[in-house]
Amino acid sequence: MTPSVAASTAFPPGPRTGTRPLNWVMMIAGVMLTVIGLALSAAGAGLIVGQESQRDGQFVFTETERFRAVGNAITTSPIAVDLGEGGTVEPGGLAIDDLITVRLRATPVVPDQRIFLGIADASAVDEYLRDVPHSVLGDDPWDHGYDDGPAIWGTEPHPDDALREIPATRTPAPPVEQRFWQHSTTGAAPQTLDVGLRSGNWVVVVMNADGSRPLWVDLQVGAHTELFGLVDSTVPLIAGLVGLVLGVPLVLFGAAGLGRDVGRRGDAGPARAAEPATVPAGPDPLRLTGHPDPGVSRALWLVKWIAAIPHYIVLAVLWSAACIVTVAAGLVILFTGRYPRSWFAFVEGTLRWHWRVGFYAYAVLGTDRYPPFTLGRADYPADLDVVYPDRLSRGLVLVKWWLLVLPHLFITALITGGGVALATASRNGDGVSWSFTLLGLLVLIAAIGLLFTGRYPQGLFALNVGLNRWVYRVASYSLLLRDQYPPFRLDQGAEEPAPDRISARR
């Protein structure tokens, strides 16, 4: 008989953990302004780069792709273009040719080999290449075969880049003798063809100039547009910078206020350092606890994702603010060696909030009690504390969050990767494949066990909490809350292990 989880520990009522609405308003407004500012700044920078790349009639090209075909030609699949009546773009009746031009470039791989590059109506090409061996470049000439990824040609090998061979036996007449080409060029040097967009069903064709086989050619596609000239790139850039200038201080002031609100009620890290009865000294600065609820519902986990949506929305805002606060705190630590206490309490509270939601939902499924909307401590079976450090290394702040933590990041990616099961469509579209993270798989096993037996195996619960403890230790280190390197040790169970137990293990 599988042992079940023991009854949860009784928790004394915690102090009031209310926070002032003004601090929430400042933080939320700051996050919104910062996000909008970042988006506008990125758009403005992108427009500037785009304008520079298109200045004086320049074209932006894809990387060169080399193609080999055993037949007489390489073609694209038909490209349907519908510009409507007159081929204009509203407003102002601008001709599409004035806005965008596509340039095709073909370079023979064999020295002195004359090649032909042309574009024509699909029906004419179909008639010309009927019973002629040729290759078709996927369903979309600007994409990797049937892939749904970015629409570019790349230089890296890709399984869908292989040309689709159309077997036949007829030898075609030289393409230069045909009169149906809308645009064409031929020669031994690299050939370029500017294509103004017109309504129709078009096919691009590359051949040897004499129509012989095989064909070996390097291809590129470029584009030039006057659209960038219609937009003043400085407007979104300036607007974005204004948003950042206004938003970042609001986030920092709001987060500091929320941190002070938590600390004022005896819940911040500095206050807890003097309360050994509440936060006992342990081997790790982070203390994560999670006590199981003996009455966990068999089927409530099926809909907890809906119940947790309000928390997910709040956490999205909190984590956006926490990232900004961490950057600002890193600068302060670099010059002073100290983490501002109010910001520390805010980031710690964000971790605490996240852990409670995860304990309720799909990181553990340890309780059916709805998580409180608070950054501070509360009467809840899951809790998290980080001991406030009096001093932090100025030098470590430059490397610990991205370089020193790398070994742990590989492990946490294996453990959680978001803590859920991911479904991904196979590249060739022949079905759906399922992949699970370790924690997601364990929680799924626990959920199925609850559904059919109403029991949560004690060992599985302890393992799930231990895996989360590892992840949150790494998170506290990456967020600059500590200098002590997270141990490569899986401490399982509802409570942090006592120092004597760890010493005995060693």
Side-chain angles (χ1 to χ4, degrees), residues 61-93:
F61 282 92
T62 64
E63 295 183 358
T64 301
E65 184 81 8
R66 177 161 294 181
F67 293 93
R68 302 176 181 87
V70 298
N72 298 83
I74 295 175
T75 75
T76 66
S77 293
I79 306 168
V81 179
D82 185 4
L83 303 179
E85 293 185 6
T88 60
V89 178
E90 297 295 339

Side-chain angles (χ1 to χ4, degrees), residues 14-17 262 266-268 272 275 278-279 287 352 356 372 374-380 383-385:
R16 291 183 59 196
T17 57
V262 173
D267 292 321
R272 290 191 305 276
E275 297 176 6
T278 304
V279 184
R287 174 180 176 270
R352 182 184 295 117
R356 286 175 182 157
T374 177
L375 291 164
R377 303 187 70 200
D379 179 16
Y380 197 74
D383 204 1
L384 182 148
D385 306 287

Side-chain angles (χ1 to χ4, degrees), residues 151-173:
I152 61 172
W153 280 342
T155 58
E156 294 298 321
H158 188 281
D160 289 338
D161 279 339
L163 297 172
R164 181 160 51 94
E165 299 287 346
I166 307 297
T169 57
R170 186 173 69 87
T171 300

Side-chain angles (χ1 to χ4, degrees), residues 20 35-36 39 44-45 100 102 135 157 209 231 247 258 277 289 312-313 326 331 339 383 399 407 433 470 506:
R20 287 177 292 185
V35 171
I36 294 173
I100 185 169
V102 176
S135 301
V231 181
L258 291 172
T289 60
Y312 294 147
I313 295 173
T326 298
L331 295 175
Y339 200 125
D383 204 1
V399 294
S433 60
W470 190 313
R506 292 174 179 170

